[in-house]
């Protein structure tokens, strides 16, 4: 049985820019298909799987139905055309800081053609040279002419950073750990034993461009409650950690439970339930300070007649860059906290009044 580490490696190395998630989707399906009762791919490309509660069917009917979400997609690039010198015009898909791009190795299109992000010669740049913008950059795949580039790559194909996953001393680095770490956590939960609740697993598309897959998945599942499993920034190195940057999390301190982001509020009953479960079972967790960012919770909460939702994330350094870094024990303890908390979820916990 492949470990969380092995699964994370394959998931991180696969390319799945928003809207182009098929390679990641195939890996997920292969890893969960023998461990769920129902599995389908919806019209947008979300993987929707159901793992029913333990026990006889009559009793199952009264079980809480919990949606567990992790997004398949990653930030990356889209090819916009070729320049006369054979280099490729491109733009970002999702939030990427232009300043980190020059000199980075990338893989382009379904054929994973190697390329390097190059800078236009300095005499062709205008404006403030201290700030390089993505428009000043091009992907060099070694093509000698526009026609050679066009025969290798088509407009609309995507590209990702070419980072190989590595793991050492309990740490792991790779591209797209946002949110392949969450995918690996959700896979781990699905491959585990049945729980006293119905698990409605959604591996969703297009989170990085507007939480679109999760909105559709939540509508389809119409769950009683939901957990968005993601990766969240850890600015836990000097000087940020002394400057009290918020929101912030720390590697090695367990999953980050959200209370509020720029776009959503976690359900306070679920926040309390997750904390109570963590305390009772001595599972590590940390509370992510309010503010900034967002997860698929923002797409799930308003679905149907409303879904009580909490976000729980693996803390990660350098998100949306060529290589982010996590501690594997944080991914494992995220799986443990989510599994044990949803296993103890009952209707009285979700009852109003
Ligand atoms: Zn994410």
């Amino acid at each position: 049985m492949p470990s969380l580490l092995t699964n994370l490696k394959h998931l991180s190395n696969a390319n799945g820019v928003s809207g182009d998630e098929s390679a990641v989707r195939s890996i997920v399906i292969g890893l969960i298909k023998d461990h769920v009762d129902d599995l389908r791919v919806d019209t947008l490309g979300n993987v929707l799987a159901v793992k029913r509660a333990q026990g006889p069917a009559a009793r199952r009917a009264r079980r809480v139905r919990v949606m567990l979400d992790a997004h398949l997609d990653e930030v990356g690039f889209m090819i916009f055309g070729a320049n006369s010198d054979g280099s490729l015009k491109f733009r970002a898909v999702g939030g990427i800081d232009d300043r980190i791009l020059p000199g980075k190795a990338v893989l382009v299109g379904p054929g994973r053609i190697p390329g390097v992000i190059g800078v236009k010669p300095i005499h062709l740049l205008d404006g403030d040279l201290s700030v390089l913008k993505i428009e000043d950059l091009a992907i060099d795949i070694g093509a000698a002419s526009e026609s050679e580039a066009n025969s290798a790559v088509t407009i609309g194909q995507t590209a990702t950073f070419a980072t190989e996953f590595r793991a050492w001393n309990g740490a792991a680095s790779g591209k797209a750990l946002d949110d392949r770490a969450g995918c690996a956590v959700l896979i781990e939960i699905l491959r585990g034993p049945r729980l006293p609740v119905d698990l409605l697993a959604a591996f969703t598309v297009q989170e990085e461009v507007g939480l679109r897959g999760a909105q559709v998945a939540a509508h389809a599942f119409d769950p009683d409650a939901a957990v968005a499993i993601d990766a969240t920034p850890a600015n836990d190195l000097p000087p940020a950690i002394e400057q009290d940057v918020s929101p912030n999390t720390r590697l090695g301190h367990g999953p980050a439970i959200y209370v509020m982001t720029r776009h959503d509020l976690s359900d306070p009953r679920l926040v309390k339930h997750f904390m109570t479960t963590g305390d009772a079972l001595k599972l590590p967790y940390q509370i992510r300070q309010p503010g900034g960012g967002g997860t698929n919770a923002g797409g799930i909460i308003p679905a149907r007649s409303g879904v009580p939702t909490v976000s729980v994330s693996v803390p990660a350094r350098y998100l949306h860059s060529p290589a982010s870094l996590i501690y594997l024990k944080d991914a494992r303890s995220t799986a443990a906290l989510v599994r044990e908390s949803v296993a103890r979820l009952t209707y009285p916990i979700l009852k109003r009044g």
Side-chain angles (χ1 to χ4, degrees):
M1 185 150 141
S3 65
L4 182 143
L5 173 59
T6 307
N7 295 342
L8 186 58
K9 174 183 172 181
H10 292 138
L11 290 162
S12 172
N13 287 343
N15 291 352
V17 176
S18 308
D20 189 16
E21 298 93 349
S22 57
V24 188
R25 182 164 49 241
S26 302
I27 294 172
V28 168
I29 290 172
L31 288 169
I32 66 169
K33 65 180 187 326
D34 295 334
H35 303 270
V36 295
D37 303 300
D38 188 39
L39 190 153
R40 68 190 174 92
V41 177
D42 75 5
T43 45
L44 286 195
N46 295 313
V47 178
L48 304 180
V50 177
K51 188 175 180 104
R52 290 193 198 95
Q54 63 203 24
R59 223 187 302 151
R60 277 209 311 266
R62 300 196 300 276
R63 299 303 193 197
V64 177
R65 299 170 67 254
V66 189
M67 174 173 166
L68 302 180
D69 164 276
H71 66 89
L72 294 169
D73 62 316
E74 67 189 284
V75 296
F77 312 102
M78 186 172 280
I79 305 304
F80 271 43
N83 295 305
S84 57
D85 62 1
S87 64
L88 302 171
K89 300 172 189 165
F90 72 107
R91 291 291 183 272
V93 179
I96 300 182
D97 185 345
D98 292 358
R99 295 173 303 171
I100 65 168
L101 297 178
K104 299 302 186 299
V106 294
L107 295 168
V108 184
R112 296 168 68 95
I113 298 167
V116 178
I117 299 177
V119 186
K120 283 184 196 164
I122 197 153
H123 57 277
L124 297 180
L125 298 176
D126 42 42
D128 181 1
L129 294 183
S130 66
V131 186
L132 274 175
K133 294 189 285 300
I134 200 164
E135 301 90 77
D136 300 325
L137 307 171
I139 294 176
D140 185 348
I141 57 168
S145 66
E146 189 173 344
S147 62
E148 201 180 306
N150 278 327
S151 64
V153 178
T154 312
I155 290 177
Q157 287 183 338
T158 60
T160 62
F161 294 115
T163 314
E164 275 291 314
F165 181 87
R166 297 180 299 166
W168 70 99
N169 282 348
S173 79
K175 70 170 186 64
L177 299 184
D178 175 8
D179 184 26
R180 307 295 154 68
C183 291
V185 165
L186 181 45
I187 289 165
E188 199 74 359
I189 294 169
L190 293 175
R191 292 171 68 96
R194 286 184 193 279
L195 301 177
V197 297
D198 281 345
L199 295 180
L200 314 172
F203 295 87
T204 47
V205 297
Q206 299 187 37
E207 190 267 356
E208 300 288 1
V209 291
L211 322 180
R212 291 173 200 153
Q215 296 175 46
V216 173
H219 184 87
F221 275 146
D222 195 13
D224 298 314
V227 185
I229 308 168
D230 211 324
T232 191
N235 286 308
D236 59 344
L237 298 173
I241 198 70
E242 286 101 29
Q243 289 167 350
D244 219 12
V245 171
S246 181
N248 205 350
T249 61
R250 287 173 184 241
L251 263 57
H253 290 246
I257 302 173
Y258 291 49
V259 289
M260 187 184 86
T261 74
R262 187 170 296 131
H263 302 291
D264 59 82
L265 294 159
S266 287
D267 188 287
R269 299 162 300 177
L270 289 176
V271 172
K272 185 168 165 233
H273 174 68
F274 273 62
M275 291 171 68
T276 306
T277 305
D279 292 341
L281 300 180
K282 298 198 164 36
L283 298 172
Y285 68 84
Q286 53 189 315
I287 300 294
R288 184 185 183 274
Q289 297 119 315
T295 70
N296 266 336
I300 298 168
I301 290 168
R304 299 272 186 160
S305 48
V307 182
T309 304
V310 63
S311 299
V312 180
S313 280
V314 179
R317 293 180 186 144
Y318 328 119
L319 289 179
H320 292 206
S321 82
S324 38
L325 188 149
I326 65 167
Y327 285 173
L328 289 165
K329 68 176 181 179
D330 287 330
R332 293 194 183 98
S333 55
T334 303
L337 183 72
V338 173
R339 180 197 299 117
E340 298 304 328
S341 299
V342 300
R344 287 161 178 76
L345 209 48
T346 57
Y347 282 116
I349 291 170
L350 298 169
K351 199 161 167 265
R352 287 279 181 199

